[in-house]
Amino acid sequence: MREWSLDEIGTTIRTMLTEDLYLPLDPAAIRPDVDLVDDLGLGSLDLSELRGLCENRFGVPIAETDFNPVHFHSVDTLSALLAHSLGRRPAPAA
């Protein structure tokens, strides 16, 4: 399995938001702490699609219990969840 740095995970998520979910932004303009729902306007279907994109791209499942507003709040929180799933960091608080 490929080794992902936390920065690479965040960059990949920002790219998915713009290329796969069609947010009309430059990926570099998406702050790591921006609220995916309140600030970027993602809805529940967008978050479900983002979950699937992350599972496919990073090769790890996201458990139903982890598919929640805490972990899908921002690029940072989602990156932390994925880093944990990839064995790179301690588990994020839920």
Side-chain angles (χ1 to χ4, degrees), residues 32-62:
D33 63 342
V34 71
D35 189 304
L36 298 176
V37 174
D38 292 340
D39 296 328
L40 296 183
L42 297 186
S44 59
L45 291 177
D46 298 316
L47 294 174
S48 291
E49 186 170 353
L50 182 58
R51 175 188 184 182
L53 290 166
C54 287
E55 289 176 330
N56 289 331
R57 182 70 174 109
F58 297 104
V60 294
I62 296 174

Side-chain angles (χ1 to χ4, degrees), residues 2-42:
R2 177 181 171 196
E3 292 286 326
W4 292 88
S5 72
L6 196 56
D7 286 339
E8 289 175 317
I9 294 169
T11 298
T12 302
I13 292 169
R14 287 191 294 276
T15 300
M16 287 189 290
L17 289 169
T18 59
E19 292 181 4
D20 298 309
L21 296 180
Y22 307 108
L23 289 180
L25 300 167
D26 179 340
I30 300 173
R31 291 187 338 266
D33 63 342
V34 71
D35 189 304
L36 298 176
V37 174
D38 292 340
D39 296 328
L40 296 183
L42 297 186

